[in-house]
């Protein structure tokens, strides 16, 4: 039984490499070594994997299923929830800071399996296999830094909202008449989607996505057009009817808006909250899969356009005189000095020919 459990643990560790860039640096033999000092523990949905305030003595690896951490403000109100999936690491902060656990980590799936690696096991592994130990520390640092950034951004960013007083019921007729989905969605899928969306009218110049806000919704342009852009670049991208903004749900590491979007003329936008999207993902997975595929295409499209515009801006940017002087060859210097001497002499009536 122990051998079977150990083999299953190594198999799950091997599977992590498909989900985590960090773990791809380990060889099969190294994973076998890590598995020999790790124990495996299953959890049911709602069970606590880590409890806030308890002593820190081990690091947790999500091997199967998922877990969740609530991000709370100073008053204890839940601002958002971070979901941890296969390949994610928990409890590594205590390796660097010590002390007790700073947050509850709850199993968010019916079959969550984690690997528990005691701090003593990490020390032993590093002393016997320094190369493996160094790779583990590298993973822990990457995970800790990524988590700190996410916590900081989410605790200090206001969640985005839409004007609820201007929101109206989303009907199948409006969506079908707009033809924004074409043949992408079947009639039953359109009907189900409409139950979860709201329609909001925006006026020219009005922003509906704000840079720096905590992203909370998917926005689909039903009528009209809008522009999006970041304060870090002068590039502006136009989005027309049928475009889906807010695909950050596919990139959970960037749940803070890195751009703003505003309407050019009267615009009707269908709003779908992330919570509603996740509900649909459980009850109507074929629908959310199609929407996710469309959003993935648009993420690639917008990133490609941003890169092209940045390259164009760099090519168009004026080059300073100082920059040119710094890259002169000896031949360039002679030619420049001769031109400057001639220019200076021409105004003085017969100043030196060389």
């Amino acid at each position: 039984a122990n051998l079977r459990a150990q083999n299953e643990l190594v198999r799950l560790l091997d599977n992590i490499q498909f989900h985590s860039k960090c773990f791809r640096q380990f060889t099969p033999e190294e994973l076998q070594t890590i598995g020999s000092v790790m124990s495996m523990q299953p959890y049911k949905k709602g069970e606590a994997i880590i409890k806030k305030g308890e002593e820190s003595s081990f690091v947790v690896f999500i091997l199967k299923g998922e877990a969740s951490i609530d991000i709370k403000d100073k008053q204890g109100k839940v601002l958002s929830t971070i979901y941890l999936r296969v390949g994610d690491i928990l409890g590594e902060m205590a390796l660097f800071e010590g002390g007790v656990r700073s947050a509850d980590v709850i199993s968010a799936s019916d079959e969550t399996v984690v690997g528990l690696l005691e701090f003593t096991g990490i020390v032993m592994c590093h002393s016997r296999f320094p190369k493996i130990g160094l790779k583990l520390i590298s993973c822990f640092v990457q995970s800790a830094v990524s988590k700190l950034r996410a916590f900081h951004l989410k605790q200090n960013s206001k969640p985005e909202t839409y004007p609820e007083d201007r929101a109206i019921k989303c009907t199948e007729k409006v969506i079908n008449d707009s033809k924004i989905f074409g043949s992408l969605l079947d009639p039953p899928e359109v009907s189900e989607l409409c139950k979860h969306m709201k329609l909001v009218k925006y006026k020219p110049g009005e922003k509906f996505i704000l840079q720096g806000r905590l992203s909370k919704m998917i926005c689909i342009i039903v009528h009209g057009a809008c522009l999006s852009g970041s304060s870090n670049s002068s590039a502006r991208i136009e989005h027309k009817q049928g475009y889906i903004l807010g695909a950050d749900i596919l990139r959970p590491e960037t749940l803070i808006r890195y751009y703003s979007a505003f309407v050019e003329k009267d615009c009707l936008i269908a709003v779908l909250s992330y919570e509603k999207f996740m509900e649909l993902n459980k009850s109507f997975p074929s629908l959310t899969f199609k929407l996710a595929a469309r959003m993935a295409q648009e993420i690639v499209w917008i990133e490609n356009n941003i890169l092209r515009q940045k390259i164009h801006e760099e090519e168009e940017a004026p080059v300073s005189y100082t920059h040119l002087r710094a890259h002169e060859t000896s031949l360039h210097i002679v030619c420049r000095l001769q031109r400057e001497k001639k220019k200076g002499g021409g105004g003085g009536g017969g100043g030196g020919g060389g």
Side-chain angles (χ1 to χ4, degrees):
N2 287 338
L3 180 60
R4 191 160 54 244
Q6 187 65 28
N7 289 337
E8 176 64 8
L9 174 55
V10 173
R11 186 189 71 79
L12 291 172
L13 280 173
D14 185 59
N15 180 57
I16 284 181
Q17 294 186 311
F18 293 98
H19 302 270
S20 169
K21 290 181 181 178
C22 180
F23 269 86
R24 288 172 199 161
Q25 62 183 313
F26 293 101
T27 65
E29 293 76 19
E30 289 172 336
L31 289 176
Q32 189 92 28
T33 300
I34 294 170
S36 68
V37 293
M38 183 185 286
S39 59
M40 190 167 60
Q41 181 68 44
Y43 290 92
K44 294 179 180 178
K45 189 172 184 178
E47 288 186 335
I49 299 171
I50 288 176
K51 294 180 181 178
K52 183 178 180 179
E54 70 181 7
E55 286 295 323
S56 306
S57 61
F58 57 87
V59 175
V60 178
F61 298 82
I62 304 291
L63 302 176
K64 185 179 179 181
E66 60 182 30
S68 64
I69 304 174
D70 287 335
I71 306 296
K72 301 177 181 179
D73 61 17
K74 293 177 181 177
Q75 287 71 43
K77 181 182 177 183
V78 176
L79 295 174
S80 63
T81 302
I82 290 180
Y83 286 94
L84 303 155
R85 297 178 175 85
V86 175
D88 285 332
I89 302 170
L90 310 169
E92 76 288 353
M93 302 283 280
L95 270 174
F96 312 110
E97 297 178 341
V100 298
R101 303 298 190 187
S102 58
D104 292 323
V105 180
I106 308 299
S107 170
S109 61
D110 294 326
E111 294 182 64
T112 301
V113 179
V114 304
L116 305 178
L117 184 56
E118 298 282 344
F119 291 170
T120 51
I122 297 170
V123 173
M124 183 181 71
C125 190
H126 188 260
S127 62
R128 293 178 60 192
F129 308 98
K131 189 176 179 181
I132 298 175
L134 197 59
K135 288 182 180 181
L136 278 173
I137 295 298
S138 171
C139 281
F140 297 151
V141 169
Q142 290 179 49
S143 176
V145 169
S146 175
K147 217 168 287 175
L148 280 171
R149 286 175 179 167
F151 271 98
H152 174 75
L153 286 171
K154 292 190 176 186
Q155 281 187 320
N156 293 281
S157 299
K158 294 180 179 179
E160 64 186 2
T161 58
Y162 61 89
E164 295 186 13
D165 57 322
R166 282 154 48 193
I168 59 175
K169 183 181 178 181
C170 184
T171 64
E172 293 173 56
K173 185 179 187 313
V174 171
I175 298 300
N176 288 330
D177 288 349
S178 70
K179 299 180 181 179
I180 57 174
F181 293 119
S183 59
L184 179 68
L185 302 181
D186 300 329
E189 292 173 330
V190 172
S191 176
E192 187 66 25
L193 183 60
C194 287
K195 294 175 186 176
H196 293 76
M197 294 196 302
K198 293 287 185 182
L199 294 175
V200 183
K201 288 184 178 180
Y202 287 90
K203 299 175 183 177
E206 192 174 5
K207 287 185 178 180
F208 59 95
I209 288 178
L210 293 173
Q211 185 174 347
R213 287 289 179 93
L214 183 62
S215 54
K216 286 291 206 176
M217 58 191 188
I218 296 165
C219 300
I220 307 169
I221 302 173
V222 181
H223 293 298
C226 76
L227 290 173
S228 70
S230 166
S231 61
N232 300 323
S233 171
S234 61
R236 295 292 178 267
I237 297 174
E238 184 180 22
H239 309 283
K240 297 182 179 179
Q241 185 183 38
Y243 192 88
I244 304 175
L245 289 101
D248 303 85
I249 194 169
L250 300 181
R251 304 189 287 189
E253 73 284 0
T254 58
L255 282 175
I256 304 300
R257 295 292 190 197
Y258 63 93
Y259 63 90
S260 292
F262 59 93
V263 301
E264 290 187 282
K265 51 187 176 181
D266 287 340
C267 198
L268 182 64
I269 292 176
V271 176
L272 176 65
S273 71
Y274 285 175
E275 288 75 17
K276 295 291 184 183
F277 183 88
M278 296 309 291
E279 286 176 18
L280 275 172
N281 194 44
K282 291 179 180 178
S283 61
F284 228 117
S286 62
L287 166 58
T288 53
F289 180 81
K290 291 177 182 179
L291 287 176
R294 167 79 75 84
M295 288 190 287
Q297 287 179 330
E298 290 171 355
I299 284 176
V300 173
W301 180 83
I302 196 170
E303 291 291 343
N304 188 38
N305 273 273
I306 289 171
L307 288 171
R308 282 181 177 178
Q309 291 199 30
K310 281 185 177 178
I311 291 169
H312 180 70
E313 285 175 9
E314 289 171 2
E315 289 174 348
E316 293 289 317
V319 181
S320 70
Y321 184 64
T322 306
H323 176 80
L324 289 173
R325 289 279 295 272
H327 291 82
E328 284 181 321
T329 64
S330 57
L331 178 62
H332 290 148
I333 292 172
V334 171
C335 292
R336 176 173 60 77
L337 290 174
Q338 285 181 338
R339 283 198 304 273
E340 288 176 357
K341 187 175 181 182
K342 192 175 293 184
K343 189 181 289 183

